[in-house]
Amino acid sequence: MADGPQGGGTLPQPRPLDAIDQDILRILQADGRASIRSVAERVHVSRANAYARINRLVEDGVIRGFSARVDHERAGHGTSAYITLKIVQNSWRTVRERLRQLPGASHIALVGGDFDVLLLVHTPDNRALRELVLTRLQAIPEVLSSRTLLVFEEEDLEPDG
């Protein structure tokens, strides 16, 4: 995000990533629980070097965190949708904060084009999606209009573990 890290501090200037850094990122994207030892062995550096590189990638904001990739359907959220929003000019920060609070909101992007915001949501079913769109989203004063695109099938393109 352009506003800096979640904690409100500023990030250092980006540094170029070398081939080892790129390999570490690829490994951790595929398996965020990979041990330092495993990462070090796979990229052919010492554990201390791997540990220092990972810490630098975190401190520099390249790695924003570690999380689990969730199968939303198996987790009880069988309905997914992309929702496009047109919003009042200069209201992005306010709208973003309201969207972050929505149950099932997974991704929020300010975009250019025919609409202003692209929102990905995961809900238990179509009834919950309807409630989210018709009650929660339309109650945000800065939202001028919305369009809901139901997702029939999706595939995560991130590396598999």
Side-chain angles (χ1 to χ4, degrees):
M1 263 181 261
D3 292 342
Q6 297 286 335
T10 58
L11 293 173
Q13 287 294 329
R15 293 185 242 189
L17 302 180
D18 64 17
I20 294 173
D21 290 335
Q22 296 285 351
D23 287 345
I24 289 172
L25 290 175
R26 182 182 44 74
I27 291 166
L28 292 176
Q29 283 179 300
D31 180 7
R33 298 187 330 167
S35 69
I36 297 289
R37 190 186 84 189
S38 167
V39 171
E41 288 174 356
R42 291 173 64 185
V43 299
H44 309 292
V45 298
S46 70
R47 281 187 281 186
N49 188 321
Y51 182 80
R53 284 173 176 268
I54 292 169
N55 276 345
R56 181 181 48 80
L57 291 168
V58 170
E59 289 169 6
D60 286 354
V62 175
I63 295 176
R64 297 183 304 180
F66 298 87
S67 63
R69 290 193 309 264
V70 176
D71 181 320
H72 296 284
E73 190 169 352
R74 294 189 56 86
H77 289 97
T79 299
S80 297
Y82 285 97
I83 303 170
T84 66
L85 304 172
K86 289 186 181 181
I87 61 173
V88 172
Q89 189 172 2
N90 297 321
S91 66
W92 164 241
R93 286 178 177 80
T94 303
V95 171
R96 178 180 59 197
E97 291 311 311
R98 297 283 302 268
L99 296 177
R100 282 181 174 162
Q101 297 170 15
L102 292 175
S106 177
H107 183 84
I108 306 165
L110 177 66
V111 298
D114 293 336
F115 49 89
D116 304 306
V117 178
L118 184 62
L119 170 67
L120 174 60
V121 298
H122 304 284
T123 61
D125 52 34
N126 284 350
R127 183 179 305 252
L129 176 62
R130 180 181 181 276
E131 173 71 16
L132 183 122
V133 173
L134 297 181
T135 303
R136 303 286 297 267
L137 276 177
Q138 292 184 2
I140 300 172
E142 298 85 0
V143 172
L144 301 173
S145 66
S146 68
R147 175 172 273 164
T148 302
L149 307 166
L150 192 60
V151 174
F152 294 127
E153 186 176 320
E154 60 187 319
E155 182 176 342
D156 188 356
L157 299 179
E158 294 177 12
D160 290 329

